[in-house]
Amino acid sequence: MNLHAIRAIYGFELSRWFRTLGQSIISPVISTSLYFVVFGAAIGSRMGSIDGVSYGAFIIPGLVMLNLLNESISNASFGIYMPKFSGTIYEVLSAPVSAVEVVLGYVGAAATKSVLLGLLILITARLFVPYEIAHPLMMFGFLVLTAITFSLFGFIIGIWADGFEKLQIIPLMIVTPLTFLGGSFYSISMLPPVWQTIALFNPVVYLISGFRWSFYGVADIGAGVSLVMVLGFLAVCLTVVWWIFRTGYRLKS
Amino acid sequence: MESIIAVKGLTKTYASGFRALRNIDLDIHRGEIFALLGPNGAGKTTLINIICGIVRPTTGIVLADGHDVVRDFRAARARIGLVPQELSTDMFEKVGATVSFSRGLFGRPPDAARIEQVLRAVSLWDKRDAKIMTLSGGMKRRVMIAKALAHDPDILFLDEPTAGVDVELRRDMWAMVRGLRASGVTIILTTHYIEEAEEMADRVGVINKGEIILVEDKATLMRKLGKKQLRIQLLTPLSGIPSALASYPLELTGNGSELVYTFDTQGEGSGIAALLRQLNDVGIDFRDLHSSESSLEDIFVSLVSARA
């Protein structure tokens, strides 16, 4: 195991983040605050509580997931896309590193950033809404697992993308809609029966549901099922990454 | 001679069907400077990229210091440093940080003293805290060399190291490369500046259309294929070559004011003395004379065009 290489990549990626610390931290904090002003304060005050949780508190897990998914994907996809774009990928390809080390460096750094950001959003949310976390360990577990899974997903997008528009298209066209329709701002049980069934095909529903359970102990779907779904998606991403390095897809001719 | 890189039966066919390399066999000797010459698109970069692990070979094997570059890639790559042709750098990164990054990536523990040495060797120590984007093209090229040297490789590939580099910097770079060779590093450089190969190389390989058409000791090559010319400026122009001189391969140029004598550097004696005596005997006076040796460039052009 080339530990020095993992450390080099991980450190490089984190320092890239710290260079743009303002942008990396302030923009999600501002956008989260806006959600709280609009959904929490303005609309939330006219809505009843859901499953015994005030609307402002109810949307917190969904908001964290929304950011976690977006940030994981964009961090990881950008992290591996940029060296491809600028040509500096030659160095990683010619270095004595295996696929495992490359992934640990890039995906590890992206997931670290997302987890830190998720925690930051939780702290920001506390300024607007008082909330309790029923299962803090499970909450952190879901946070970390989701960050890793979607950083891997972002890594795959970054390798697949051969232009900046492709880098944006999957987050924009697929992930954001799935997150908004995944129960960030409502409970699945509030939907008409047909849509409840359709919603079950949305993987993000399971993520948000499991995460919300760790906060309030109630959820649309059992926490166990959520966990299995996250692990399942993680396995799919790992398989795709393994295939990428085996075949050299978009990395080596 | 012990070879540090052994290429055997290497071919590369890209997905597009383009055959970049055809059955390449090549040995690089430990401690030498090897210049790989070839026109654009000949396969120089493909060959280097396969040895360094950036491109996959279609068939054939490459051993670097005895390690298969595919199966035993960790051991092989740890010994190799690569300076690619393109100036690919992380624009926003600082010089010192990017060189330290390279060292780590190649599996070496952090070593601030070594990084300082490397940066001083390429005259970039003053720029260690500068962002790469603020540097000139020549400095960026040196950053890339420093990155390639950061893990103390035994083998250094320089792909077109002096492309777009001014004359002074080119001389500095040559001096640096010689210094590296003196410290025991084997250097393989590709170039289409023949002057560079002539100046630097111990041995020269010529690649054209994916085939190695020649590998030779530079001096031997110059001797074998080199021709010398003696140009004799005449005092009074001649209308034709006198019959007494017919046995010499002479050519009359410049409206009869110059005689050109071409001779093989390998031949037994040059025949110059005899020719001059003969000129004297037939009463041809000359103003000036100078001899010139054909350059590697002439040799290269004749080789490549012969195969075209």
Side-chain angles (χ1 to χ4, degrees):
Chain A
M1 199 71 151
N2 186 344
L3 290 175
H4 293 300
I6 300 173
R7 214 181 77 162
I9 296 174
Y10 186 84
F12 174 85
E13 283 296 296
L14 282 189
S15 77
R16 189 168 64 82
W17 192 49
F18 283 117
R19 265 202 306 264
T20 52
L21 199 62
Q23 178 200 325
S24 307
I25 287 180
I26 292 170
S27 70
V29 169
I30 289 180
S31 71
T32 309
S33 305
L34 286 174
Y35 277 116
F36 274 109
V37 172
V38 175
F39 289 97
I43 297 175
S45 60
R46 289 160 190 254
M47 289 185 67
S49 58
I50 302 172
D51 297 333
V53 180
S54 80
Y55 187 68
F58 179 84
I59 64 171
I60 292 170
L63 270 180
V64 173
M65 274 293 161
L66 187 71
N67 276 285
L68 199 65
L69 262 49
N70 279 324
E71 288 297 318
S72 298
I73 292 174
S74 79
N75 280 330
S77 62
F78 204 73
I80 189 67
Y81 178 74
M82 273 318 284
K84 275 180 34 179
F85 176 73
S86 69
T88 54
I89 191 84
Y90 84 88
E91 203 176 16
V92 176
L93 294 179
S94 66
V97 291
S98 68
V100 175
E101 290 142 6
V102 173
V103 169
L104 280 175
Y106 280 106
V107 173
T112 305
K113 293 179 221 173
S114 312
V115 168
L116 290 176
L117 207 72
L119 296 175
L120 191 71
I121 289 170
L122 282 179
I123 294 166
T124 312
R126 199 71 178 78
L127 302 175
F128 292 91
V129 189
Y131 63 88
E132 306 284 324
I133 300 172
H135 310 282
L137 273 182
M138 283 299 286
M139 187 281 287
F140 192 69
F142 266 114
L143 196 68
V144 171
L145 212 54
T146 309
I148 292 173
T149 305
F150 279 81
S151 295
L152 269 172
F153 186 54
F155 186 82
I156 294 166
I157 292 174
I159 286 187
W160 164 78
D162 50 12
F164 278 100
E165 56 294 349
K166 276 197 181 170
L167 211 53
Q168 304 288 357
I169 202 158
I170 290 191
L172 209 63
M173 304 287 283
I174 299 175
V175 180
T176 305
L178 287 183
T179 321
F180 271 85
L181 300 175
S184 297
F185 301 109
Y186 54 84
S187 164
I188 299 301
S189 60
M190 293 160 77
L191 295 171
V194 181
W195 284 102
Q196 284 193 29
T197 313
I198 293 173
L200 292 179
F201 289 96
N202 178 356
V204 180
V205 166
Y206 298 89
L207 293 176
I208 293 178
S209 184
F211 198 50
R212 189 170 284 140
W213 170 85
S214 69
F215 278 74
Y216 307 121
V218 286
D220 296 325
I221 296 150
V225 179
S226 293
L227 193 62
V228 169
M229 290 298 284
V230 181
L231 291 173
F233 192 50
L234 179 66
V236 170
C237 290
L238 282 173
T239 311
V240 174
V241 168
W242 171 81
W243 174 83
I244 283 173
F245 280 97
R246 231 190 90 92
T247 60
Y249 174 76
R250 299 252 162 123
L251 285 175
K252 288 188 187 190
S253 49
Chain B
M1 268 287 194
E2 188 201 355
S3 65
I4 193 162
I5 288 183
V7 178
K8 288 171 194 152
L10 193 66
T11 64
K12 175 65 189 179
T13 307
Y14 283 105
S16 63
F18 176 67
R19 289 178 68 194
L21 297 178
R22 300 156 189 257
N23 202 27
I24 301 272
D25 289 300
L26 182 64
D27 282 288
I28 308 293
H29 302 161
R30 189 179 295 275
E32 74 174 340
I33 298 181
F34 185 88
L36 192 59
L37 292 176
N40 287 327
K44 301 186 293 285
T45 300
T46 299
L47 177 57
I48 286 191
N49 283 349
I50 288 177
I51 300 173
C52 293
I54 295 171
V55 171
R56 294 155 178 258
T58 305
T59 61
I61 61 163
V62 179
L63 301 178
D65 209 4
H67 303 280
D68 187 306
V69 297
V70 177
R71 266 178 305 154
D72 196 7
F73 72 93
R74 274 187 206 276
R77 292 185 195 173
R79 287 163 175 77
I80 298 176
L82 166 67
V83 183
Q85 196 171 337
E86 306 286 333
L87 283 176
S88 311
T89 52
D90 294 296
M91 304 292 280
F92 304 103
E93 193 69 20
K94 287 177 180 169
V95 172
T98 198
V99 176
S100 303
F101 169 79
S102 300
R103 185 175 169 86
L105 193 62
F106 278 76
R108 304 296 298 268
D111 183 345
R114 181 64 193 138
I115 299 297
E116 179 176 343
Q117 270 180 357
V118 170
L119 284 175
R120 284 191 189 282
V122 295
S123 318
L124 281 175
W125 178 242
D126 295 341
K127 294 281 180 185
R128 61 191 179 278
D129 289 323
K131 282 187 180 173
I132 295 173
M133 61 191 294
T134 65
L135 302 182
S136 69
M139 286 180 182
K140 282 183 190 149
R141 177 77 60 187
R142 279 183 281 156
V143 169
M144 299 197 63
I145 294 176
K147 281 166 78 71
L149 293 175
H151 65 284
D152 307 315
D154 302 320
I155 305 161
L156 182 66
F157 283 92
L158 297 166
D159 197 357
E160 304 278 351
T162 53
V165 165
D166 67 35
V167 180
E168 194 181 352
L169 186 59
R170 196 177 299 171
R171 302 238 163 246
D172 289 351
M173 219 171 266
W174 289 346
M176 199 188 78
V177 169
R178 283 201 194 90
L180 283 170
R181 199 249 316 252
S183 71
V185 179
T186 305
I187 291 146
I188 297 99
L189 61 92
T190 72
T191 183
H192 45 234
Y193 293 122
I194 317 285
E195 183 200 349
E196 191 157 80
E198 205 166 341
E199 175 85 21
M200 303 288 301
D202 299 309
R203 287 196 310 148
V204 175
V206 178
I207 184 169
N208 191 32
K209 296 187 175 153
E211 288 175 288
I212 297 271
I213 54 180
L214 172 132
V215 175
E216 195 77 81
D217 196 77
K218 184 185 69 186
T220 315
L221 179 66
M222 303 284 292
R223 221 170 24 241
K224 205 188 278 182
L225 296 174
K227 285 202 171 76
K228 269 198 156 180
Q229 283 189 329
L230 180 71
R231 294 178 166 269
I232 304 162
Q233 256 106 49
L234 305 174
L235 210 54
T236 43
L238 292 174
S239 55
I241 295 169
S243 54
L245 301 173
S247 60
Y248 293 93
L250 286 174
E251 224 182 315
L252 198 58
T253 60
N255 283 330
S257 64
E258 190 180 63
L259 269 176
V260 181
Y261 172 53
T262 307
F263 57 97
D264 210 318
T265 46
Q266 269 197 316
E268 308 261 313
S270 61
I272 292 177
L275 174 66
L276 294 182
R277 268 197 303 277
Q278 197 87 49
L279 285 174
N280 200 29
D281 291 348
V282 296
I284 297 175
D285 280 332
F286 49 89
R287 235 192 338 229
D288 194 11
L289 49 86
H290 71 269
S291 72
S292 62
E293 199 166 1
S294 59
S295 66
L296 196 51
E297 179 150 10
D298 304 328
I299 298 169
F300 174 70
V301 168
S302 70
L303 261 175
V304 170
S305 57
R307 300 275 179 141

